[in-house]
Amino acid sequence: MAETAVRVRGLRKVYGDHVAVDGLDLDIRRGEIFGILGPNGAGKSTTVEILEGHRKRDAGEVDVLGEDPGKASRRWKSRIGIVWQNEIVIGDLKVAEAVRHFASYFPNPRDPEEIIELVGLTEKANARVGGLSGGQRRRVDVAIGVIGRPELLFLDEPTTGFDPAARRQFWDLIRSLADGGTSIVLTSHYLDEVEALADRLAVVVKGKVVAEGDPATLGGRASAQAQVSWLGADGPMTHRTDSPTTVVSELAAYFKGEIPELTVTRPSLEDIYLGLIKEQETVA
Ligand SMILES: Nc1ncnc2c1ncn2[C@@H]1O[C@H](COP(=O)(O)OP(=O)(O)OP(=O)(O)O)[C@@H](O)[C@H]1O
């Protein structure tokens, strides 16, 4: 029990006559970064909002940190962190004021100065939130999301609008939170982000989990055929194989050393993900 952060069985949510979540099961372990992927309208936000206690469900069992979010206590709420888009509400406040303000809501908050440093905003501590860049504002959102020392953090599309360097820094921040023991639920449309961060992930399509696993092996990825490509005497060559090592050794013997322009690739997470989505679409 202590190992589980989130346990969901048979979750269902209906809007009018539209079934948004249709018998969804989920297990998220304590201390892991868990990615939720899925196309637009798949039911990800609805599911996450139910886990956060912000939306009622129609059926199913939900346990988050040992409680039902639908009936959760105030104390439970203080154990959950949610990265909202706060900037509109707090635009007039300075960064340090905003973080301190939110710290005051929690029984055992982290030190605001420390958190501002952790998100890389020390130099902007006295700047107004409204005047920050999009990426910097998102960092304020994260600072506010983690100020209460959450055991479980919900991150929805955290790096939208970040430049590549800021994304990498942000990933380091998320990893450092996870290393510190925070369980993290990450919803993102960026497959590279999920691949870089998630220990495990679930793909949600039409309100159900259609695949679950770690990014390296999801949907048979690790055992999928490899593609060996090289430059042959007559131009570029490609060979699909279950035993790329054998093919590469044969090529090395043939070329008596370096194989020109050699690459060995397996399907990317994106290839696997798009395949899963396509498969589900055809199952109408
Ligand atoms: N408040 C609501 N009232 C009616 N229908 C809703 C409501 N919220 C969501 N829906 C519908 O439920 C389905 C699932 O929506 P949800 O926002 O959970 O999907 P999502 O996977 O988060 O999508 P996205 O990737 O676009 O954010 C969609 O068809 C959406 O139109």
Side-chain angles (χ1 to χ4, degrees), residues 167-196:
R167 283 183 87 209
R168 292 297 165 113
Q169 280 171 0
F170 184 84
W171 292 355
D172 289 342
L173 165 64
I174 298 308
R175 287 191 194 106
S176 74
L177 291 171
D179 289 345
T182 311
S183 311
I184 296 172
V185 178
L186 167 73
T187 321
S188 177
H189 286 292
Y190 296 123
L191 288 140
D192 61 336
E193 180 156 287
V194 173
E195 177 147 34

PDB file of all heavy atoms in Angstrom, residues 167-196:
ATOM      1  N   ARG A 167      14.062  24.079 -21.415  1.00  0.00           N
ATOM      2  CA  ARG A 167      13.433  22.757 -21.240  1.00  0.00           C
ATOM      3  C   ARG A 167      14.391  21.819 -20.535  1.00  0.00           C
ATOM      4  O   ARG A 167      14.015  21.127 -19.616  1.00  0.00           O
ATOM      5  CB  ARG A 167      13.089  22.137 -22.606  1.00  0.00           C
ATOM      6  CG  ARG A 167      11.878  22.714 -23.236  1.00  0.00           C
ATOM      7  CD  ARG A 167      11.595  21.981 -24.526  1.00  0.00           C
ATOM      8  NE  ARG A 167      10.789  20.812 -24.312  1.00  0.00           N
ATOM      9  CZ  ARG A 167      10.843  19.722 -25.078  1.00  0.00           C
ATOM     10  NH1 ARG A 167      11.680  19.643 -26.071  1.00  0.00           N
ATOM     11  NH2 ARG A 167      10.056  18.724 -24.842  1.00  0.00           N
ATOM     12  N   ARG A 168      15.653  21.798 -20.982  1.00  0.00           N
ATOM     13  CA  ARG A 168      16.636  20.910 -20.351  1.00  0.00           C
ATOM     14  C   ARG A 168      16.803  21.240 -18.874  1.00  0.00           C
ATOM     15  O   ARG A 168      16.880  20.363 -18.028  1.00  0.00           O
ATOM     16  CB  ARG A 168      17.993  21.014 -21.059  1.00  0.00           C
ATOM     17  CG  ARG A 168      17.985  20.461 -22.456  1.00  0.00           C
ATOM     18  CD  ARG A 168      17.672  18.986 -22.428  1.00  0.00           C
ATOM     19  NE  ARG A 168      17.318  18.505 -23.741  1.00  0.00           N
ATOM     20  CZ  ARG A 168      18.045  17.660 -24.455  1.00  0.00           C
ATOM     21  NH1 ARG A 168      19.156  17.179 -23.983  1.00  0.00           N
ATOM     22  NH2 ARG A 168      17.635  17.262 -25.626  1.00  0.00           N
ATOM     23  N   GLN A 169      16.852  22.547 -18.556  1.00  0.00           N
ATOM     24  CA  GLN A 169      17.004  22.947 -17.148  1.00  0.00           C
ATOM     25  C   GLN A 169      15.789  22.515 -16.350  1.00  0.00           C
ATOM     26  O   GLN A 169      15.887  22.051 -15.217  1.00  0.00           O
ATOM     27  CB  GLN A 169      17.134  24.470 -17.045  1.00  0.00           C
ATOM     28  CG  GLN A 169      18.518  24.958 -17.355  1.00  0.00           C
ATOM     29  CD  GLN A 169      18.557  26.479 -17.452  1.00  0.00           C
ATOM     30  OE1 GLN A 169      17.542  27.157 -17.292  1.00  0.00           O
ATOM     31  NE2 GLN A 169      19.711  27.013 -17.737  1.00  0.00           N
ATOM     32  N   PHE A 170      14.631  22.667 -16.982  1.00  0.00           N
ATOM     33  CA  PHE A 170      13.392  22.287 -16.311  1.00  0.00           C
ATOM     34  C   PHE A 170      13.364  20.783 -16.044  1.00  0.00           C
ATOM     35  O   PHE A 170      12.942  20.330 -14.975  1.00  0.00           O
ATOM     36  CB  PHE A 170      12.204  22.708 -17.172  1.00  0.00           C
ATOM     37  CG  PHE A 170      10.883  22.443 -16.519  1.00  0.00           C
ATOM     38  CD1 PHE A 170      10.351  23.345 -15.621  1.00  0.00           C
ATOM     39  CD2 PHE A 170      10.186  21.286 -16.789  1.00  0.00           C
ATOM     40  CE1 PHE A 170       9.136  23.086 -15.000  1.00  0.00           C
ATOM     41  CE2 PHE A 170       8.975  21.028 -16.186  1.00  0.00           C
ATOM     42  CZ  PHE A 170       8.443  21.929 -15.286  1.00  0.00           C
ATOM     43  N   TRP A 171      13.826  20.002 -17.011  1.00  0.00           N
ATOM     44  CA  TRP A 171      13.876  18.545 -16.823  1.00  0.00           C
ATOM     45  C   TRP A 171      14.765  18.200 -15.630  1.00  0.00           C
ATOM     46  O   TRP A 171      14.436  17.318 -14.842  1.00  0.00           O
ATOM     47  CB  TRP A 171      14.420  17.847 -18.083  1.00  0.00           C
ATOM     48  CG  TRP A 171      13.516  17.927 -19.265  1.00  0.00           C
ATOM     49  CD1 TRP A 171      12.257  18.464 -19.305  1.00  0.00           C
ATOM     50  CD2 TRP A 171      13.792  17.437 -20.588  1.00  0.00           C
ATOM     51  NE1 TRP A 171      11.737  18.349 -20.567  1.00  0.00           N
ATOM     52  CE2 TRP A 171      12.656  17.723 -21.371  1.00  0.00           C
ATOM     53  CE3 TRP A 171      14.882  16.802 -21.177  1.00  0.00           C
ATOM     54  CZ2 TRP A 171      12.583  17.379 -22.726  1.00  0.00           C
ATOM     55  CZ3 TRP A 171      14.813  16.466 -22.520  1.00  0.00           C
ATOM     56  CH2 TRP A 171      13.671  16.752 -23.284  1.00  0.00           C
ATOM     57  N   ASP A 172      15.907  18.915 -15.508  1.00  0.00           N
ATOM     58  CA  ASP A 172      16.794  18.662 -14.362  1.00  0.00           C
ATOM     59  C   ASP A 172      16.058  18.944 -13.045  1.00  0.00           C
ATOM     60  O   ASP A 172      16.199  18.213 -12.069  1.00  0.00           O
ATOM     61  CB  ASP A 172      18.052  19.539 -14.434  1.00  0.00           C
ATOM     62  CG  ASP A 172      18.984  19.078 -15.554  1.00  0.00           C
ATOM     63  OD1 ASP A 172      18.839  17.925 -16.013  1.00  0.00           O
ATOM     64  OD2 ASP A 172      19.847  19.878 -15.968  1.00  0.00           O
ATOM     65  N   LEU A 173      15.263  20.029 -13.073  1.00  0.00           N
ATOM     66  CA  LEU A 173      14.506  20.391 -11.876  1.00  0.00           C
ATOM     67  C   LEU A 173      13.507  19.283 -11.511  1.00  0.00           C
ATOM     68  O   LEU A 173      13.412  18.867 -10.352  1.00  0.00           O
ATOM     69  CB  LEU A 173      13.768  21.719 -12.129  1.00  0.00           C
ATOM     70  CG  LEU A 173      12.651  22.087 -11.160  1.00  0.00           C
ATOM     71  CD1 LEU A 173      13.199  22.293  -9.767  1.00  0.00           C
ATOM     72  CD2 LEU A 173      11.934  23.352 -11.629  1.00  0.00           C
ATOM     73  N   ILE A 174      12.804  18.771 -12.513  1.00  0.00           N
ATOM     74  CA  ILE A 174      11.816  17.715 -12.271  1.00  0.00           C
ATOM     75  C   ILE A 174      12.508  16.461 -11.741  1.00  0.00           C
ATOM     76  O   ILE A 174      12.041  15.834 -10.792  1.00  0.00           O
ATOM     77  CB  ILE A 174      11.033  17.403 -13.576  1.00  0.00           C
ATOM     78  CG1 ILE A 174      10.278  18.644 -14.040  1.00  0.00           C
ATOM     79  CG2 ILE A 174      10.085  16.223 -13.411  1.00  0.00           C
ATOM     80  CD1 ILE A 174       9.421  19.297 -13.000  1.00  0.00           C
ATOM     81  N   ARG A 175      13.658  16.131 -12.343  1.00  0.00           N
ATOM     82  CA  ARG A 175      14.398  14.952 -11.870  1.00  0.00           C
ATOM     83  C   ARG A 175      14.854  15.147 -10.428  1.00  0.00           C
ATOM     84  O   ARG A 175      14.805  14.216  -9.632  1.00  0.00           O
ATOM     85  CB  ARG A 175      15.629  14.702 -12.751  1.00  0.00           C
ATOM     86  CG  ARG A 175      15.254  14.159 -14.109  1.00  0.00           C
ATOM     87  CD  ARG A 175      16.508  13.674 -14.832  1.00  0.00           C
ATOM     88  NE  ARG A 175      16.223  13.464 -16.226  1.00  0.00           N
ATOM     89  CZ  ARG A 175      16.622  14.266 -17.222  1.00  0.00           C
ATOM     90  NH1 ARG A 175      17.355  15.337 -16.964  1.00  0.00           N
ATOM     91  NH2 ARG A 175      16.305  13.989 -18.467  1.00  0.00           N
ATOM     92  N   SER A 176      15.277  16.383 -10.095  1.00  0.00           N
ATOM     93  CA  SER A 176      15.755  16.604  -8.728  1.00  0.00           C
ATOM     94  C   SER A 176      14.593  16.481  -7.742  1.00  0.00           C
ATOM     95  O   SER A 176      14.772  15.982  -6.628  1.00  0.00           O
ATOM     96  CB  SER A 176      16.495  17.934  -8.585  1.00  0.00           C
ATOM     97  OG  SER A 176      15.590  19.006  -8.610  1.00  0.00           O
ATOM     98  N   LEU A 177      13.394  16.890  -8.157  1.00  0.00           N
ATOM     99  CA  LEU A 177      12.228  16.723  -7.272  1.00  0.00           C
ATOM    100  C   LEU A 177      11.929  15.239  -7.076  1.00  0.00           C
ATOM    101  O   LEU A 177      11.655  14.787  -5.966  1.00  0.00           O
ATOM    102  CB  LEU A 177      10.994  17.420  -7.868  1.00  0.00           C
ATOM    103  CG  LEU A 177      11.033  18.942  -7.903  1.00  0.00           C
ATOM    104  CD1 LEU A 177       9.854  19.478  -8.711  1.00  0.00           C
ATOM    105  CD2 LEU A 177      11.001  19.514  -6.497  1.00  0.00           C
ATOM    106  N   ALA A 178      12.006  14.471  -8.180  1.00  0.00           N
ATOM    107  CA  ALA A 178      11.740  13.033  -8.087  1.00  0.00           C
ATOM    108  C   ALA A 178      12.812  12.350  -7.231  1.00  0.00           C
ATOM    109  O   ALA A 178      12.498  11.493  -6.406  1.00  0.00           O
ATOM    110  CB  ALA A 178      11.676  12.409  -9.476  1.00  0.00           C
ATOM    111  N   ASP A 179      14.076  12.774  -7.400  1.00  0.00           N
ATOM    112  CA  ASP A 179      15.158  12.189  -6.589  1.00  0.00           C
ATOM    113  C   ASP A 179      14.923  12.470  -5.107  1.00  0.00           C
ATOM    114  O   ASP A 179      15.321  11.686  -4.252  1.00  0.00           O
ATOM    115  CB  ASP A 179      16.528  12.754  -6.996  1.00  0.00           C
ATOM    116  CG  ASP A 179      16.950  12.237  -8.369  1.00  0.00           C
ATOM    117  OD1 ASP A 179      16.342  11.249  -8.837  1.00  0.00           O
ATOM    118  OD2 ASP A 179      17.876  12.834  -8.964  1.00  0.00           O
ATOM    119  N   GLY A 180      14.272  13.596  -4.833  1.00  0.00           N
ATOM    120  CA  GLY A 180      13.964  13.946  -3.447  1.00  0.00           C
ATOM    121  C   GLY A 180      12.749  13.198  -2.912  1.00  0.00           C
ATOM    122  O   GLY A 180      12.309  13.449  -1.795  1.00  0.00           O
ATOM    123  N   GLY A 181      12.146  12.325  -3.735  1.00  0.00           N
ATOM    124  CA  GLY A 181      11.053  11.469  -3.249  1.00  0.00           C
ATOM    125  C   GLY A 181       9.660  11.883  -3.702  1.00  0.00           C
ATOM    126  O   GLY A 181       8.676  11.231  -3.353  1.00  0.00           O
ATOM    127  N   THR A 182       9.544  12.984  -4.460  1.00  0.00           N
ATOM    128  CA  THR A 182       8.221  13.421  -4.921  1.00  0.00           C
ATOM    129  C   THR A 182       7.742  12.523  -6.060  1.00  0.00           C
ATOM    130  O   THR A 182       8.486  12.298  -7.018  1.00  0.00           O
ATOM    131  CB  THR A 182       8.301  14.888  -5.443  1.00  0.00           C
ATOM    132  OG1 THR A 182       8.975  15.675  -4.470  1.00  0.00           O
ATOM    133  CG2 THR A 182       6.932  15.466  -5.728  1.00  0.00           C
ATOM    134  N   SER A 183       6.519  12.016  -5.960  1.00  0.00           N
ATOM    135  CA  SER A 183       5.928  11.275  -7.087  1.00  0.00           C
ATOM    136  C   SER A 183       5.364  12.327  -8.048  1.00  0.00           C
ATOM    137  O   SER A 183       4.806  13.335  -7.607  1.00  0.00           O
ATOM    138  CB  SER A 183       4.772  10.392  -6.613  1.00  0.00           C
ATOM    139  OG  SER A 183       5.152   9.641  -5.497  1.00  0.00           O
ATOM    140  N   ILE A 184       5.512  12.071  -9.339  1.00  0.00           N
ATOM    141  CA  ILE A 184       5.111  13.095 -10.316  1.00  0.00           C
ATOM    142  C   ILE A 184       4.255  12.482 -11.421  1.00  0.00           C
ATOM    143  O   ILE A 184       4.604  11.446 -11.982  1.00  0.00           O
ATOM    144  CB  ILE A 184       6.368  13.772 -10.910  1.00  0.00           C
ATOM    145  CG1 ILE A 184       7.117  14.514  -9.803  1.00  0.00           C
ATOM    146  CG2 ILE A 184       5.986  14.727 -12.055  1.00  0.00           C
ATOM    147  CD1 ILE A 184       8.457  15.073 -10.178  1.00  0.00           C
ATOM    148  N   VAL A 185       3.117  13.115 -11.682  1.00  0.00           N
ATOM    149  CA  VAL A 185       2.263  12.716 -12.805  1.00  0.00           C
ATOM    150  C   VAL A 185       2.432  13.792 -13.876  1.00  0.00           C
ATOM    151  O   VAL A 185       2.121  14.961 -13.644  1.00  0.00           O
ATOM    152  CB  VAL A 185       0.786  12.609 -12.384  1.00  0.00           C
ATOM    153  CG1 VAL A 185      -0.082  12.252 -13.584  1.00  0.00           C
ATOM    154  CG2 VAL A 185       0.620  11.573 -11.281  1.00  0.00           C
ATOM    155  N   LEU A 186       2.959  13.385 -15.017  1.00  0.00           N
ATOM    156  CA  LEU A 186       3.314  14.328 -16.078  1.00  0.00           C
ATOM    157  C   LEU A 186       2.423  14.085 -17.299  1.00  0.00           C
ATOM    158  O   LEU A 186       2.421  12.994 -17.853  1.00  0.00           O
ATOM    159  CB  LEU A 186       4.781  14.082 -16.453  1.00  0.00           C
ATOM    160  CG  LEU A 186       5.316  14.716 -17.729  1.00  0.00           C
ATOM    161  CD1 LEU A 186       5.492  16.214 -17.535  1.00  0.00           C
ATOM    162  CD2 LEU A 186       6.653  14.092 -18.117  1.00  0.00           C
ATOM    163  N   THR A 187       1.655  15.090 -17.670  1.00  0.00           N
ATOM    164  CA  THR A 187       0.878  14.989 -18.905  1.00  0.00           C
ATOM    165  C   THR A 187       1.571  15.865 -19.929  1.00  0.00           C
ATOM    166  O   THR A 187       1.861  17.027 -19.639  1.00  0.00           O
ATOM    167  CB  THR A 187      -0.557  15.527 -18.708  1.00  0.00           C
ATOM    168  OG1 THR A 187      -1.002  15.130 -17.434  1.00  0.00           O
ATOM    169  CG2 THR A 187      -1.502  15.002 -19.756  1.00  0.00           C
ATOM    170  N   SER A 188       1.880  15.288 -21.087  1.00  0.00           N
ATOM    171  CA  SER A 188       2.602  16.084 -22.070  1.00  0.00           C
ATOM    172  C   SER A 188       2.336  15.546 -23.465  1.00  0.00           C
ATOM    173  O   SER A 188       2.101  14.360 -23.639  1.00  0.00           O
ATOM    174  CB  SER A 188       4.106  16.041 -21.788  1.00  0.00           C
ATOM    175  OG  SER A 188       4.823  16.737 -22.764  1.00  0.00           O
ATOM    176  N   HIS A 189       2.352  16.445 -24.442  1.00  0.00           N
ATOM    177  CA  HIS A 189       2.263  15.997 -25.827  1.00  0.00           C
ATOM    178  C   HIS A 189       3.656  15.853 -26.438  1.00  0.00           C
ATOM    179  O   HIS A 189       3.793  15.444 -27.576  1.00  0.00           O
ATOM    180  CB  HIS A 189       1.431  16.979 -26.671  1.00  0.00           C
ATOM    181  CG  HIS A 189      -0.034  16.879 -26.392  1.00  0.00           C
ATOM    182  ND1 HIS A 189      -0.772  15.774 -26.728  1.00  0.00           N
ATOM    183  CD2 HIS A 189      -0.893  17.731 -25.806  1.00  0.00           C
ATOM    184  CE1 HIS A 189      -2.038  15.956 -26.354  1.00  0.00           C
ATOM    185  NE2 HIS A 189      -2.125  17.140 -25.791  1.00  0.00           N
ATOM    186  N   TYR A 190       4.685  16.235 -25.652  1.00  0.00           N
ATOM    187  CA  TYR A 190       6.055  16.117 -26.172  1.00  0.00           C
ATOM    188  C   TYR A 190       6.610  14.751 -25.827  1.00  0.00           C
ATOM    189  O   TYR A 190       6.924  14.474 -24.671  1.00  0.00           O
ATOM    190  CB  TYR A 190       6.954  17.189 -25.568  1.00  0.00           C
ATOM    191  CG  TYR A 190       6.585  18.592 -25.920  1.00  0.00           C
ATOM    192  CD1 TYR A 190       6.321  19.526 -24.930  1.00  0.00           C
ATOM    193  CD2 TYR A 190       6.503  19.008 -27.245  1.00  0.00           C
ATOM    194  CE1 TYR A 190       5.986  20.834 -25.235  1.00  0.00           C
ATOM    195  CE2 TYR A 190       6.166  20.308 -27.566  1.00  0.00           C
ATOM    196  CZ  TYR A 190       5.908  21.213 -26.552  1.00  0.00           C
ATOM    197  OH  TYR A 190       5.584  22.504 -26.873  1.00  0.00           O
ATOM    198  N   LEU A 191       6.747  13.905 -26.846  1.00  0.00           N
ATOM    199  CA  LEU A 191       7.210  12.536 -26.592  1.00  0.00           C
ATOM    200  C   LEU A 191       8.645  12.505 -26.105  1.00  0.00           C
ATOM    201  O   LEU A 191       9.009  11.656 -25.292  1.00  0.00           O
ATOM    202  CB  LEU A 191       7.016  11.695 -27.848  1.00  0.00           C
ATOM    203  CG  LEU A 191       5.523  11.434 -28.045  1.00  0.00           C
ATOM    204  CD1 LEU A 191       5.122  11.531 -29.487  1.00  0.00           C
ATOM    205  CD2 LEU A 191       5.134  10.111 -27.477  1.00  0.00           C
ATOM    206  N   ASP A 192       9.459  13.429 -26.579  1.00  0.00           N
ATOM    207  CA  ASP A 192      10.858  13.437 -26.120  1.00  0.00           C
ATOM    208  C   ASP A 192      10.919  13.768 -24.635  1.00  0.00           C
ATOM    209  O   ASP A 192      11.751  13.240 -23.898  1.00  0.00           O
ATOM    210  CB  ASP A 192      11.722  14.402 -26.952  1.00  0.00           C
ATOM    211  CG  ASP A 192      11.256  15.846 -26.857  1.00  0.00           C
ATOM    212  OD1 ASP A 192      10.061  16.077 -26.548  1.00  0.00           O
ATOM    213  OD2 ASP A 192      12.068  16.752 -27.101  1.00  0.00           O
ATOM    214  N   GLU A 193       9.989  14.630 -24.190  1.00  0.00           N
ATOM    215  CA  GLU A 193       9.951  15.006 -22.779  1.00  0.00           C
ATOM    216  C   GLU A 193       9.563  13.802 -21.918  1.00  0.00           C
ATOM    217  O   GLU A 193      10.191  13.519 -20.884  1.00  0.00           O
ATOM    218  CB  GLU A 193       8.928  16.123 -22.600  1.00  0.00           C
ATOM    219  CG  GLU A 193       8.788  16.614 -21.193  1.00  0.00           C
ATOM    220  CD  GLU A 193       8.254  18.031 -21.193  1.00  0.00           C
ATOM    221  OE1 GLU A 193       9.021  18.941 -21.551  1.00  0.00           O
ATOM    222  OE2 GLU A 193       7.076  18.222 -20.870  1.00  0.00           O
ATOM    223  N   VAL A 194       8.555  13.080 -22.364  1.00  0.00           N
ATOM    224  CA  VAL A 194       8.101  11.914 -21.610  1.00  0.00           C
ATOM    225  C   VAL A 194       9.210  10.861 -21.609  1.00  0.00           C
ATOM    226  O   VAL A 194       9.512  10.242 -20.591  1.00  0.00           O
ATOM    227  CB  VAL A 194       6.787  11.360 -22.204  1.00  0.00           C
ATOM    228  CG1 VAL A 194       6.401  10.057 -21.545  1.00  0.00           C
ATOM    229  CG2 VAL A 194       5.683  12.387 -22.036  1.00  0.00           C
ATOM    230  N   GLU A 195       9.853  10.700 -22.759  1.00  0.00           N
ATOM    231  CA  GLU A 195      10.933   9.712 -22.850  1.00  0.00           C
ATOM    232  C   GLU A 195      12.086  10.083 -21.911  1.00  0.00           C
ATOM    233  O   GLU A 195      12.668   9.231 -21.252  1.00  0.00           O
ATOM    234  CB  GLU A 195      11.439   9.619 -24.288  1.00  0.00           C
ATOM    235  CG  GLU A 195      12.597   8.663 -24.408  1.00  0.00           C
ATOM    236  CD  GLU A 195      12.632   7.944 -25.733  1.00  0.00           C
ATOM    237  OE1 GLU A 195      12.235   8.552 -26.737  1.00  0.00           O
ATOM    238  OE2 GLU A 195      13.055   6.781 -25.757  1.00  0.00           O
ATOM    239  N   ALA A 196      12.404  11.389 -21.867  1.00  0.00           N
ATOM    240  CA  ALA A 196      13.531  11.824 -21.037  1.00  0.00           C
ATOM    241  C   ALA A 196      13.213  11.713 -19.546  1.00  0.00           C
ATOM    242  O   ALA A 196      14.108  11.455 -18.742  1.00  0.00           O
ATOM    243  CB  ALA A 196      13.909  13.262 -21.377  1.00  0.00           C
TER     244      ALA A 196
END
